[in-house]
């Protein structure tokens, strides 16, 4: 472990060169964020502002952090999941002077220690994925919110959900922008990003054939839909479990079978949870699973698959491949749990591909910038959860399209008039 008091704690600084190559690869596939970097490195709008971030330390996140730094910000960072940090990337960032507190495989206690270290810079802005940083400030360091923080952003569905609950209770001490709810985030990252990276994680951890398998996807939100669509594309028989009638109906129209987990548990080969709630797979499900079943989670927290209950049914446990543990049950059946029930796409693979993170992180950058620009004008957003402006979505979409060489049509004045005309019908 390489540790410099107050400055960084990472697994091994000697990995920095390898990390640089990974980051360069991501940069070559993140044209929108790189365009923002080129634009704002000249004017340095973040000069004098300190950002604390708590988000997966990946090559894509490094591109975001380096863009903030190029735009003048002072940045401190921790990972938002014990198994998602890429140690080479963390080493590069620490080597380049970022206050970086992250390593792969840290304990829950170390996880919160890392978050606390990032608060030493007394941040003006927070950037979260899962709201752990915001919760830490509110619950343990509220004086930081009172004295320094002018706003924050939140990356993920689960985090936004909880922050909206907090805002409804009047408990939010500063404004937060819901980056997750940008169309150029959820409709791409959550669907295509989660779809591809989840299967990538499963394949790296198992190397099994997906064609012909019964793949049970719990949850048909944006993430579950992405996973189900990609699994179907690879020839799997997809079964969806849901609690929301309209989501279940949509799944049936996509050609998936829909049933209760109690029934799916008996016939599934691979189980993937993508719900955002706890106890989706519990004791009675493990009890009825087939020998050889594979179980994993792609939701933010590791509570969707109840591993404590699986442990009680288990006789012995061993690692059979990286990120793949075999639980031998007392009755002799074997169940394979991937990535300890944590985000399989980040723990067993590299998270979403750079191309989708490009848009998600362009939204992060623009949203943080919005808070700073308002602050410079002496203004502050209301202390609640805010959506991103629709124009930001269209601008990010426009730049992304143009970097891919696509051209689209434009409404004529006459067409615009027609669309807004309520004087005539048929
Ligand atoms: N969340 C999902 N994929 C990610 C990635 N590649 N980087 C950062 N956060 C992510």
């Amino acid at each position: 472990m390489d540790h410099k008091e107050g400055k960084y704690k990472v697994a091994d600084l000697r990995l920095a060169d390898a990390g640089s190559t990974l980051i360069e690869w991501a940069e070559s596939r993140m044209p929108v964020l790189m365009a923002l970097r080129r634009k704002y490195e000249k004017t340095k709008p973040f000069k004098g502002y300190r950002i604390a971030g708590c988000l997966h330390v990946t090559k894509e996140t490094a591109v975001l952090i380096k863009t903030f730094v190029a735009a003048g910000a002072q940045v401190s960072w921790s990972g938002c999941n014990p198994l998602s940090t890429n140690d080479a990337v963390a080493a590069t960032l620490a080597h380049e002077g970022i206050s970086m507190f992250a390593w792969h495989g840290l304990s829950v206690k170390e996880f919160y220690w890392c978050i606390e270290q990032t608060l030493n810079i007394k941040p003006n802005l927070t950037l979260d994925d899962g709201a752990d940083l915001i919760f830490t400030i509110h619950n343990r360091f509220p004086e930081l919110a009172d004295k320094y923080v002018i706003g924050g952003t939140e990356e993920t569905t689960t985090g936004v959900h909880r922050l909206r609950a907090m805002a409804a209770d009047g408990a939010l001490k500063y404004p937060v922008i819901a980056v997750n709810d940008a169309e150029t985030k959820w409709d791409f990252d959550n669907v295509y990003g989660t779809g591809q990276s989840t299967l990538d994680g499963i394949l790296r951890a198992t190397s099994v054939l997906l064609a012909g398998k019964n793949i049970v996807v719990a949850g048909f939100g944006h993430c579950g839909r992405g996973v189900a669509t990609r699994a179907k594309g690879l020839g799997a028989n997809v079964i969806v479990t849901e609690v929301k009638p309209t989501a279940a109906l949509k799944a049936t129209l996509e050609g998936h079978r829909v049933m209760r987990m109690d029934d799916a548990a008996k016939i599934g080969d691979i189980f993937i949870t993508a719900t955002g709630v706890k106890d989706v797979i519990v004791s009675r499900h493990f009890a009825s699973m087939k020998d050889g079943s594979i179980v994993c989670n792609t939701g933010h927290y590791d509570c969707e698959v109840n591993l404590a209950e699986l442990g009680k049914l288990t006789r012995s446990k061993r690692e059979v491949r990286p990120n793949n543990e075999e639980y031998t049950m007392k009755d002799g059946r074997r169940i394979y749990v991937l990535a300890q029930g944590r985000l399989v796409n980040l723990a067993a693979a590299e998270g979403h591909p750079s191309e989708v993170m490009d848009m998600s992180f362009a939204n992060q950058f623009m949203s943080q910038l919005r808070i700073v620009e308002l602050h410079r004008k002496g203004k502050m957003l209301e202390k609640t959860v805010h959506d991103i402006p629709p124009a930001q979505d269209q601008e990010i979409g426009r730049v992304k399209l143009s970097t891919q060489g696509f051209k689209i049509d434009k409404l004529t004045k006459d067409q615009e008039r027609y669309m807004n005309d309520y004087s005539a019908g048929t």
Side-chain angles (χ1 to χ4, degrees):
M1 200 65 71
D2 278 310
H3 187 187
K4 187 167 175 194
E5 192 68 45
K7 207 56 201 131
Y8 59 75
K9 188 164 179 179
V10 297
D12 185 353
L13 274 183
R14 286 170 305 177
L15 298 172
D17 280 349
S20 297
T21 316
L22 287 173
I23 296 167
E24 276 169 35
W25 176 258
E27 282 174 342
S28 73
R29 269 131 229 283
M30 300 180 81
V32 182
L33 202 49
M34 293 305 281
L36 289 169
R37 189 186 296 180
R38 280 192 301 276
K39 177 169 177 191
Y40 291 108
E41 71 191 350
K42 297 186 192 102
T43 50
K44 304 228 179 298
F46 284 95
K47 193 151 189 277
Y49 288 85
R50 301 179 299 276
I51 304 174
C54 178
L55 188 146
H56 309 292
V57 180
T58 64
K59 58 191 186 305
E60 291 76 23
T61 302
V63 182
L64 174 64
I65 293 175
K66 286 167 70 104
T67 304
F68 280 130
V69 172
Q74 184 189 341
V75 178
S76 66
W77 212 267
S78 69
C80 67
N81 184 291
L83 295 185
S84 66
T85 292
N86 182 313
D87 284 329
V89 169
T92 309
L93 293 169
H95 183 71
E96 292 184 4
I98 310 295
S99 301
M100 175 58 60
F101 299 90
W103 61 94
H104 187 92
L106 42 66
S107 67
V108 171
K109 192 166 166 229
E110 289 166 330
F111 175 86
Y112 285 105
W113 179 86
C114 287
I115 290 183
E116 273 177 43
Q117 300 310 300
T118 66
L119 296 177
N120 285 337
I121 63 166
K122 303 195 170 24
N124 312 112
L125 296 138
T126 62
L127 190 156
D128 257 286
D129 183 340
D132 281 314
L133 175 58
I134 295 184
F135 295 155
T136 302
I137 291 178
H138 279 71
N139 298 335
R140 297 182 37 220
F141 305 97
E143 68 285 358
L144 290 179
D146 299 334
K147 278 200 209 144
Y148 301 104
V149 186
I150 57 170
T153 52
E154 169 54 51
E155 171 81 4
T156 202
T157 316
T158 304
V160 168
H161 197 86
R162 292 184 180 188
L163 290 167
R164 287 200 195 280
M166 215 168 149
D169 279 352
L172 203 52
K173 283 177 164 285
Y174 56 84
V176 179
I177 299 181
V179 167
N180 179 72
D181 295 357
E183 191 183 349
T184 43
K185 199 281 181 182
W186 68 261
D187 218 359
F188 296 87
D189 170 317
N190 301 19
V191 181
Y192 306 100
T194 309
Q196 180 168 318
S197 62
T198 301
L199 296 184
D200 186 10
I202 293 171
L203 289 175
R204 292 193 204 194
T206 65
S207 174
V208 294
L209 179 71
L210 299 183
K213 293 280 190 313
N214 286 339
I215 296 195
V216 180
V217 180
F220 202 70
H222 307 307
C223 296
R225 175 158 60 86
V227 174
T229 307
R230 291 296 178 255
K232 186 179 175 190
L234 284 165
N237 304 308
V238 176
I239 297 167
V240 169
T241 70
E242 250 300 342
V243 291
K244 191 174 171 189
T246 49
L249 263 179
K250 285 181 199 167
T252 66
L253 298 195
E254 288 295 333
H256 308 311
R257 274 190 291 167
V258 170
M259 60 184 79
R260 292 173 313 166
M261 184 58 87
D262 282 358
D263 302 316
K266 297 176 195 144
I267 56 175
D269 298 300
I270 301 176
F271 297 81
I272 308 167
T273 54
T275 67
V277 294
K278 64 186 235 187
D279 292 341
V280 177
I281 299 182
V282 293
S283 213
R284 67 178 190 282
H285 302 126
F286 294 123
S288 63
M289 281 181 190
K290 297 192 287 189
D291 179 32
S293 296
I294 295 168
V295 178
C296 65
N297 164 53
T298 198
H300 186 78
Y301 289 113
D302 63 343
C303 56
E304 304 204 15
V305 180
N306 194 323
L307 290 183
E309 291 191 3
L310 176 60
K312 288 190 192 135
L313 305 173
T314 297
R315 182 171 73 204
S316 64
K317 195 170 111 175
R318 64 175 180 144
E319 187 179 64
V320 288
R321 295 168 58 91
N323 292 303
N324 184 339
E325 281 182 310
E326 178 187 73
Y327 286 68
T328 303
M329 321 270 281
K330 290 176 185 155
D331 61 13
R333 283 175 304 121
R334 288 153 304 173
I335 291 179
Y336 296 89
V337 176
L338 310 185
Q340 299 167 32
R342 295 199 183 272
L343 282 162
V344 71
N345 59 337
L346 279 138
E350 291 173 66
H352 303 350
S354 309
E355 290 87 341
V356 284
M357 294 316 292
D358 188 24
M359 290 194 286
S360 308
F361 286 168
N363 275 300
Q364 281 287 2
F365 185 90
M366 298 295 295
S367 300
Q368 293 269 330
L369 184 60
R370 181 172 156 215
I371 299 168
V372 165
E373 284 177 341
L374 282 171
H375 184 250
R376 285 199 192 279
K377 289 184 197 146
K379 296 184 187 154
M380 190 171 171
L381 291 167
E382 204 189 319
K383 292 178 186 173
T384 184
V385 178
H386 298 263
D387 286 330
I388 65 134
Q392 180 176 313
D393 254 334
Q394 294 313 318
E395 178 58 10
I396 289 173
R398 190 189 64 72
V399 177
K400 186 74 175 173
L401 268 179
S402 74
T403 62
Q404 295 178 343
F406 292 116
K407 293 201 169 89
I408 59 170
D409 294 319
K410 196 169 183 302
L411 285 178
T412 62
K413 284 270 166 272
D414 195 36
Q415 283 174 316
E416 266 179 41
R417 257 195 307 277
Y418 168 80
M419 281 175 66
N420 296 327
D421 181 5
Y422 53 89
S423 67
T426 310

